[in-house]
Amino acid sequence: MLALRMIAGCHVELGDFRAAYQEMVDFHEAWTLRRSERSEVVARVAHAQYAVDEAQRTTERFREMAERDALTGLWNRRRSDARLAAALDTPPARRGPVSVALLDLDHFKLINDTFSHAVGDVVLRRVAAILAEADGHAGRHGGEEFILIMNVACAEAARCCEALRAAIHAYAWESVAAGLSVTTSIGTAVLRPGDDAPAVLRRADKNLYEAKRAGRNRLIAE
């Protein structure tokens, strides 16, 4: 293209305007073709980038689906284990305080036996919706047990969990089934230097069962 334009300029200087015109026609055709080719390349690159971005979004959606509990929509046990492992792998000076809470619905088998498993599923979903409003990682730990991983010290974790306990107790369960009442027992533990996942979960579980032995519908904090 540049050569054609330069040749046209030479023809003009020589006074051969017909030849100059023809060179400019050739230049324009070459320029139009080049612009078209460039636009096509840009379009192909944009399409390829879109395809890559869409593939990444699809992969992320599938990954999240694989890490969500199908019934409640909360994170599943695998994702919760990974979240706790990440906290343990982060130096305390960088991560700050981390507390873990285990929540277990009181007499849940009796709810299933008395009101049906369908009602029990509704209870799990409603409790999950309450827990999802808490600051931190909320997951279904298994059955009627849930886990919260919070970036707060023990006192703030206790305050948050007590609010959740009260919210579950105060929920309008009669709207789900006549005579239905749901409560939860909660145990918390804070990450300590040298902890691994089993150690902190063991302490939270110990406090949870102390709450149950003390009469249920209560919190035992570390």
mmCIF file of all heavy atoms in Angstrom, residues 156-177:
data_model
loop_
_atom_site.group_PDB
_atom_site.id
_atom_site.type_symbol
_atom_site.label_atom_id
_atom_site.label_comp_id
_atom_site.label_asym_id
_atom_site.label_seq_id
_atom_site.Cartn_x
_atom_site.Cartn_y
_atom_site.Cartn_z
ATOM 1 N N GLU A 156 -16.973 -11.967 69.101
ATOM 2 C CA GLU A 156 -17.838 -11.561 68.000
ATOM 3 C C GLU A 156 -18.526 -12.776 67.374
ATOM 4 O O GLU A 156 -19.695 -12.710 66.960
ATOM 5 C CB GLU A 156 -17.037 -10.818 66.937
ATOM 6 C CG GLU A 156 -17.829 -10.373 65.729
ATOM 7 C CD GLU A 156 -18.943 -9.396 66.060
ATOM 8 O OE1 GLU A 156 -18.899 -8.774 67.147
ATOM 9 O OE2 GLU A 156 -19.868 -9.263 65.240
ATOM 10 N N ALA A 157 -17.810 -13.904 67.303
ATOM 11 C CA ALA A 157 -18.418 -15.138 66.788
ATOM 12 C C ALA A 157 -19.581 -15.567 67.668
ATOM 13 O O ALA A 157 -20.633 -15.987 67.174
ATOM 14 C CB ALA A 157 -17.369 -16.239 66.703
ATOM 15 N N ALA A 158 -19.401 -15.456 68.984
ATOM 16 C CA ALA A 158 -20.469 -15.816 69.918
ATOM 17 C C ALA A 158 -21.676 -14.901 69.732
ATOM 18 O O ALA A 158 -22.829 -15.359 69.754
ATOM 19 C CB ALA A 158 -19.957 -15.745 71.347
ATOM 20 N N ARG A 159 -21.423 -13.612 69.539
ATOM 21 C CA ARG A 159 -22.529 -12.672 69.335
ATOM 22 C C ARG A 159 -23.314 -13.016 68.068
ATOM 23 O O ARG A 159 -24.546 -13.041 68.060
ATOM 24 C CB ARG A 159 -21.990 -11.247 69.236
ATOM 25 C CG ARG A 159 -23.080 -10.179 69.188
ATOM 26 C CD ARG A 159 -22.559 -8.885 68.620
ATOM 27 N NE ARG A 159 -22.157 -9.031 67.238
ATOM 28 C CZ ARG A 159 -23.007 -9.092 66.205
ATOM 29 N NH1 ARG A 159 -24.313 -9.027 66.429
ATOM 30 N NH2 ARG A 159 -22.562 -9.230 64.977
ATOM 31 N N CYS A 160 -22.590 -13.296 66.995
ATOM 32 C CA CYS A 160 -23.217 -13.636 65.724
ATOM 33 C C CYS A 160 -24.026 -14.932 65.837
ATOM 34 O O CYS A 160 -25.170 -15.008 65.377
ATOM 35 C CB CYS A 160 -22.151 -13.766 64.642
ATOM 36 S SG CYS A 160 -22.773 -14.301 63.038
ATOM 37 N N CYS A 161 -23.431 -15.930 66.473
ATOM 38 C CA CYS A 161 -24.103 -17.224 66.583
ATOM 39 C C CYS A 161 -25.313 -17.161 67.512
ATOM 40 O O CYS A 161 -26.319 -17.843 67.279
ATOM 41 C CB CYS A 161 -23.120 -18.288 67.073
ATOM 42 S SG CYS A 161 -21.882 -18.728 65.830
ATOM 43 N N GLU A 162 -25.233 -16.357 68.540
ATOM 44 C CA GLU A 162 -26.393 -16.194 69.422
ATOM 45 C C GLU A 162 -27.545 -15.537 68.665
ATOM 46 O O GLU A 162 -28.716 -15.921 68.846
ATOM 47 C CB GLU A 162 -26.010 -15.354 70.643
ATOM 48 C CG GLU A 162 -27.164 -15.046 71.597
ATOM 49 C CD GLU A 162 -27.864 -16.291 72.127
ATOM 50 O OE1 GLU A 162 -27.237 -17.374 72.193
ATOM 51 O OE2 GLU A 162 -29.063 -16.194 72.472
ATOM 52 N N ALA A 163 -27.229 -14.586 67.794
ATOM 53 C CA ALA A 163 -28.264 -13.960 66.970
ATOM 54 C C ALA A 163 -28.889 -14.971 66.015
ATOM 55 O O ALA A 163 -30.110 -14.972 65.802
ATOM 56 C CB ALA A 163 -27.675 -12.781 66.192
ATOM 57 N N LEU A 164 -28.069 -15.844 65.453
ATOM 58 C CA LEU A 164 -28.590 -16.877 64.566
ATOM 59 C C LEU A 164 -29.467 -17.870 65.331
ATOM 60 O O LEU A 164 -30.526 -18.283 64.845
ATOM 61 C CB LEU A 164 -27.441 -17.620 63.884
ATOM 62 C CG LEU A 164 -26.627 -16.817 62.872
ATOM 63 C CD1 LEU A 164 -25.404 -17.602 62.436
ATOM 64 C CD2 LEU A 164 -27.485 -16.471 61.654
ATOM 65 N N ARG A 165 -29.010 -18.267 66.510
ATOM 66 C CA ARG A 165 -29.811 -19.191 67.330
ATOM 67 C C ARG A 165 -31.186 -18.596 67.621
ATOM 68 O O ARG A 165 -32.220 -19.262 67.482
ATOM 69 C CB ARG A 165 -29.086 -19.500 68.642
ATOM 70 C CG ARG A 165 -29.806 -20.524 69.520
ATOM 71 C CD ARG A 165 -29.455 -20.346 70.984
ATOM 72 N NE ARG A 165 -29.860 -19.031 71.493
ATOM 73 C CZ ARG A 165 -31.118 -18.708 71.791
ATOM 74 N NH1 ARG A 165 -32.107 -19.581 71.630
ATOM 75 N NH2 ARG A 165 -31.402 -17.491 72.245
ATOM 76 N N ALA A 166 -31.206 -17.312 68.004
ATOM 77 C CA ALA A 166 -32.465 -16.644 68.321
ATOM 78 C C ALA A 166 -33.348 -16.527 67.076
ATOM 79 O O ALA A 166 -34.575 -16.684 67.156
ATOM 80 C CB ALA A 166 -32.184 -15.269 68.914
ATOM 81 N N ALA A 167 -32.739 -16.242 65.926
ATOM 82 C CA ALA A 167 -33.510 -16.099 64.691
ATOM 83 C C ALA A 167 -34.160 -17.415 64.285
ATOM 84 O O ALA A 167 -35.317 -17.441 63.836
ATOM 85 C CB ALA A 167 -32.607 -15.586 63.575
ATOM 86 N N ILE A 168 -33.432 -18.519 64.451
ATOM 87 C CA ILE A 168 -33.995 -19.831 64.121
ATOM 88 C C ILE A 168 -35.137 -20.175 65.074
ATOM 89 O O ILE A 168 -36.201 -20.648 64.668
ATOM 90 C CB ILE A 168 -32.894 -20.903 64.155
ATOM 91 C CG1 ILE A 168 -31.899 -20.662 63.010
ATOM 92 C CG2 ILE A 168 -33.491 -22.308 64.064
ATOM 93 C CD1 ILE A 168 -30.636 -21.495 63.099
ATOM 94 N N HIS A 169 -34.930 -19.898 66.349
ATOM 95 C CA HIS A 169 -35.960 -20.188 67.359
ATOM 96 C C HIS A 169 -37.218 -19.348 67.115
ATOM 97 O O HIS A 169 -38.344 -19.833 67.273
ATOM 98 C CB HIS A 169 -35.396 -19.907 68.750
ATOM 99 C CG HIS A 169 -36.330 -20.289 69.854
ATOM 100 N ND1 HIS A 169 -36.277 -19.717 71.100
ATOM 101 C CD2 HIS A 169 -37.351 -21.186 69.894
ATOM 102 C CE1 HIS A 169 -37.222 -20.247 71.871
ATOM 103 N NE2 HIS A 169 -37.882 -21.144 71.158
ATOM 104 N N ALA A 170 -37.022 -18.094 66.703
ATOM 105 C CA ALA A 170 -38.146 -17.173 66.560
ATOM 106 C C ALA A 170 -38.840 -17.262 65.195
ATOM 107 O O ALA A 170 -39.871 -16.622 64.988
ATOM 108 C CB ALA A 170 -37.666 -15.736 66.787
ATOM 109 N N TYR A 171 -38.290 -18.037 64.275
ATOM 110 C CA TYR A 171 -38.875 -18.121 62.936
ATOM 111 C C TYR A 171 -40.313 -18.646 63.010
ATOM 112 O O TYR A 171 -40.654 -19.452 63.889
ATOM 113 C CB TYR A 171 -38.024 -19.035 62.056
ATOM 114 C CG TYR A 171 -38.451 -19.056 60.612
ATOM 115 C CD1 TYR A 171 -38.042 -18.060 59.727
ATOM 116 C CD2 TYR A 171 -39.288 -20.063 60.132
ATOM 117 C CE1 TYR A 171 -38.440 -18.075 58.411
ATOM 118 C CE2 TYR A 171 -39.691 -20.085 58.812
ATOM 119 C CZ TYR A 171 -39.270 -19.087 57.950
ATOM 120 O OH TYR A 171 -39.671 -19.101 56.640
ATOM 121 N N ALA A 172 -41.138 -18.205 62.076
ATOM 122 C CA ALA A 172 -42.561 -18.606 62.065
ATOM 123 C C ALA A 172 -42.718 -20.010 61.495
ATOM 124 O O ALA A 172 -43.234 -20.219 60.386
ATOM 125 C CB ALA A 172 -43.369 -17.599 61.246
ATOM 126 N N TRP A 173 -42.304 -20.991 62.271
ATOM 127 C CA TRP A 173 -42.357 -22.382 61.809
ATOM 128 C C TRP A 173 -43.785 -22.897 61.656
ATOM 129 O O TRP A 173 -44.026 -23.857 60.922
ATOM 130 C CB TRP A 173 -41.556 -23.271 62.757
ATOM 131 C CG TRP A 173 -40.094 -22.945 62.765
ATOM 132 C CD1 TRP A 173 -39.386 -22.348 63.763
ATOM 133 C CD2 TRP A 173 -39.163 -23.159 61.694
ATOM 134 N NE1 TRP A 173 -38.077 -22.175 63.393
ATOM 135 C CE2 TRP A 173 -37.905 -22.663 62.134
ATOM 136 C CE3 TRP A 173 -39.263 -23.706 60.427
ATOM 137 C CZ2 TRP A 173 -36.775 -22.711 61.346
ATOM 138 C CZ3 TRP A 173 -38.143 -23.756 59.619
ATOM 139 C CH2 TRP A 173 -36.909 -23.260 60.082
ATOM 140 N N GLU A 174 -44.719 -22.270 62.327
ATOM 141 C CA GLU A 174 -46.131 -22.667 62.187
ATOM 142 C C GLU A 174 -46.603 -22.488 60.742
ATOM 143 O O GLU A 174 -47.543 -23.163 60.314
ATOM 144 C CB GLU A 174 -47.009 -21.830 63.124
ATOM 145 C CG GLU A 174 -46.901 -22.220 64.598
ATOM 146 C CD GLU A 174 -47.782 -23.429 64.935
ATOM 147 O OE1 GLU A 174 -48.632 -23.789 64.097
ATOM 148 O OE2 GLU A 174 -47.601 -23.995 66.019
ATOM 149 N N SER A 175 -45.955 -21.587 60.003
ATOM 150 C CA SER A 175 -46.330 -21.392 58.602
ATOM 151 C C SER A 175 -45.875 -22.559 57.730
ATOM 152 O O SER A 175 -46.362 -22.731 56.611
ATOM 153 C CB SER A 175 -45.733 -20.088 58.068
ATOM 154 O OG SER A 175 -44.305 -20.151 58.045
ATOM 155 N N VAL A 176 -44.933 -23.341 58.241
ATOM 156 C CA VAL A 176 -44.465 -24.534 57.522
ATOM 157 C C VAL A 176 -45.346 -25.729 57.859
ATOM 158 O O VAL A 176 -45.795 -26.473 56.979
ATOM 159 C CB VAL A 176 -42.990 -24.830 57.859
ATOM 160 C CG1 VAL A 176 -42.520 -26.121 57.170
ATOM 161 C CG2 VAL A 176 -42.103 -23.653 57.473
ATOM 162 N N ALA A 177 -45.610 -25.925 59.144
ATOM 163 C CA ALA A 177 -46.472 -27.027 59.594
ATOM 164 C C ALA A 177 -47.014 -26.684 60.977
ATOM 165 O O ALA A 177 -46.265 -26.177 61.832
ATOM 166 C CB ALA A 177 -45.702 -28.346 59.630
#
